[in-house]
Amino acid sequence: MAYQRVKQPKISDVIMGQLEEMVLEGTLKPGQRLPSERELAKQFDVSRPSLREAVQKLSAKGVLISRQGGGTYVSEDLGGAFSDPLLELFKTHPEAQYDLLEFRHALEGVSAYYAALRSTAADKENIRARYNALQEHHENKAFDKEVYADVDFHLAIAEATHNMVLLHMMRALFTLLRQHVWDNLQDIYPKPEIRGKIHQQHYVLMEAILEGDPDRASQAAHDHLAYVEDALLQQGKEDTRLKRALRRADLTPR
């Protein structure tokens, strides 16, 4: 019986596979600069020519981008499923905001559930750090910074799921989510009671994840988004009433 010879994988292919895994699991993020060639070769315990070949292959795939004299970066286009024209349509059609909230219900409920179930000590530390940044901007009423911190908090939860698809779906939505959160803040944050309630909901969500309670975490995510949706609907009704009153005022004889 003839046996087929087992082919040994090329070192560069092994390195490429490990780098791809680091991108998929979120260790290497879109736009992040890789360590120098010397440092990476030392970390992987391989020769620099083998490492260089792996980087070239990933660059050809569009995963990495090498800049002349400026190092090698993870492509910022990874997960760019939402093009600028589509983002513009979402922003200019108010009904899409509620569709997005509905989508976030599904996505973030699952994220919270698995983050509570799977998060490591390092994940929990990261979530708490993101919440603390959110807390600081909330107290200082730095709304612009609070928007970024809000999105970072939710993305930290997605990272803690250890689900590559879920993480990259959230990352692909990053620009859209940031705009969406900003739109929400502009509409409802001027009201202190609403703003305080939303911030408290972030705390409840974090605590459920840190305590490892997946059902409570999922419910906290749903409660948070349901409250935001209701607040936006109420604000929309108030805006409609205000516009109607202004129209009446314009029509009243003077």
Side-chain angles (χ1 to χ4, degrees), residues 159-178:
E159 289 175 4
T161 66
H162 295 274
N163 182 308
M164 297 177 190
V165 177
L166 193 54
L167 169 60
H168 288 283
M169 277 297 295
M170 287 289 284
R171 285 235 175 105
L173 279 169
F174 181 85
T175 302
L176 185 58
L177 285 176
R178 185 169 55 193

Side-chain angles (χ1 to χ4, degrees), residues 7-229:
K7 292 178 67 176
Q8 293 294 324
K10 288 185 68 176
I11 295 296
S12 61
D13 288 337
V14 174
I15 301 167
M16 183 174 71
Q18 291 183 13
L19 285 170
E20 285 176 333
E21 189 172 340
M22 291 171 75
V23 170
L24 281 172
E25 70 185 13
T27 304
L28 292 174
K29 300 175 174 60
Q32 182 175 337
R33 181 174 179 171
L34 269 64
S36 69
E37 189 179 271
R38 174 186 288 180
E39 290 175 52
L40 273 178
K42 188 176 180 181
Q43 285 179 28
F44 286 119
D45 194 20
V46 296
S47 68
R48 290 173 73 171
S50 293
L51 176 66
R52 199 173 300 131
E53 186 178 347
V55 169
Q56 288 171 350
K57 288 178 179 178
L58 287 174
S59 296
K61 285 175 137 185
V63 177
L64 299 179
I65 295 175
S66 295
R67 299 174 186 168
Q68 189 67 34
T72 302
Y73 296 78
V74 180
S75 172
E76 292 185 18
D77 293 333
L78 288 180
F82 294 94
S83 63
D84 289 340
L86 185 57
L87 288 177
E88 193 58 37
L89 286 176
F90 275 127
K91 285 190 287 185
T92 54
H93 288 73
E95 67 275 11
Q97 297 296 309
Y98 298 102
D99 289 343
L100 180 55
L101 272 170
E102 194 172 87
F103 181 68
R104 285 183 65 186
H105 266 287
L107 202 61
E108 296 192 37
V110 171
S111 290
Y113 183 92
Y114 284 114
L117 204 61
R118 300 171 176 169
S119 55
T120 64
D123 292 327
K124 290 175 180 177
E125 185 178 339
N126 185 40
I127 291 170
R128 188 180 290 279
R130 299 297 183 191
Y131 176 82
N132 289 341
L134 183 58
Q135 172 78 24
E136 180 183 350
H137 299 316
H138 176 79
E139 290 175 352
N140 295 333
K141 297 183 180 179
F143 293 151
D144 286 1
K145 292 178 181 178
E146 192 168 0
V147 172
Y148 285 92
D150 192 316
V151 173
D152 286 344
F153 173 70
H154 287 287
L155 286 178
I157 292 172
E159 289 175 4
T161 66
H162 295 274
N163 182 308
M164 297 177 190
V165 177
L166 193 54
L167 169 60
H168 288 283
M169 277 297 295
M170 287 289 284
R171 285 235 175 105
L173 279 169
F174 181 85
T175 302
L176 185 58
L177 285 176
R178 185 169 55 193
Q179 180 62 46
H180 184 241
V181 173
W182 172 241
D183 289 341
N184 290 351
L185 292 181
Q186 279 187 314
D187 286 336
I188 60 181
Y189 257 35
K191 298 182 176 180
E193 70 280 5
I194 292 179
R195 188 165 167 266
K197 178 74 172 177
I198 288 174
H199 192 60
Q200 174 62 21
Q201 288 168 347
H202 282 138
Y203 178 80
V204 171
L205 173 58
M206 177 187 70
E207 284 296 294
I209 291 171
L210 297 185
E211 291 171 13
D213 190 331
D215 292 322
R216 188 154 58 91
S218 179
Q219 188 60 52
H222 286 305
D223 290 345
H224 168 54
L225 291 168
Y227 180 80
V228 170
E229 183 173 6

